[in-house]
Amino acid sequence: MISLYFDITPKAKQSFRMGKHSYQSKAVTDYQKAITAMALAQITQDMRSLSGDLYVSVEFVWEHPKSWGKKRIAELRERCIYKPSRPDIDNLCKGIFDPLNGVIWNDDSQIVAVHAWKRYGYNDAIIMRVWETKELTNNMRL
């Protein structure tokens, strides 16, 4: 298993088509470069470019709103408070999976199962775990 922690505000991958060409904003490009750099800093050479089928768990965390009271903030210690608003979770996954092509895995098409969720916390972050499916025990069914 590979565990990664990205100290960054989660962003959705948004691309726009202009005629025959796709366009990504500078903010998205910079975000993807930061994800790649942070991943490379956390893994060793032998963890790079996994080649098998992969299971990925990814948690997108946003700092709680400033408007929350002390009681609501204290709830974060007791339970998970999900973030049911935008950005969409599929676009968040695209925003983190694409920059890891050639870093953690050869291509994100190797991912055969994903568990992803959005929640509030004390700091912005992305927490990701990656397993090769052969590592999983028979007790853990996908």
Side-chain angles (χ1 to χ4, degrees), residues 10-26:
K11 281 192 178 26
K13 181 177 179 183
Q14 300 285 332
S15 55
F16 306 95
R17 292 194 60 77
M18 293 183 161
K20 294 182 180 181
H21 302 285
S22 291
Y23 167 78
Q24 280 184 0
S25 70
K26 182 174 179 348

Side-chain angles (χ1 to χ4, degrees), residues 7-117:
D7 185 18
I8 194 167
T9 303
K11 281 192 178 26
K13 181 177 179 183
Q14 300 285 332
S15 55
F16 306 95
R17 292 194 60 77
M18 293 183 161
K20 294 182 180 181
H21 302 285
S22 291
Y23 167 78
Q24 280 184 0
S25 70
K26 182 174 179 348
V28 171
T29 303
D30 291 346
Y31 171 77
Q32 289 182 322
K33 286 178 184 176
I35 293 292
T36 301
M38 284 187 250
L40 287 170
Q42 294 178 59
I43 62 171
T44 60
Q45 187 66 32
D46 62 321
M47 295 175 168
R48 293 192 60 183
S49 298
L50 298 173
S51 58
D53 295 338
L54 304 174
Y55 172 76
V56 177
S57 170
V58 61
E59 184 175 353
F60 299 98
V61 184
W62 279 265
E63 183 178 1
H64 61 79
K66 303 290 185 214
S67 60
W68 281 12
K70 289 180 184 178
K71 185 177 178 182
R72 181 84 165 145
I73 293 169
E75 273 186 71
L76 286 175
R77 290 188 221 281
E78 303 298 322
R79 66 181 185 92
C80 180
I81 300 175
Y82 295 107
K83 182 182 189 303
S85 57
R86 291 189 182 271
D88 296 349
I89 199 142
D90 59 325
N91 291 330
L92 287 166
C93 288
K94 283 186 239 174
I96 194 164
F97 290 174
D98 287 347
L100 296 176
N101 285 338
V103 178
I104 302 296
W105 44 70
N106 294 323
D107 188 78
D108 55 0
S109 64
Q110 294 170 245
I111 300 169
V112 297
V114 176
H115 180 217
W117 66 101

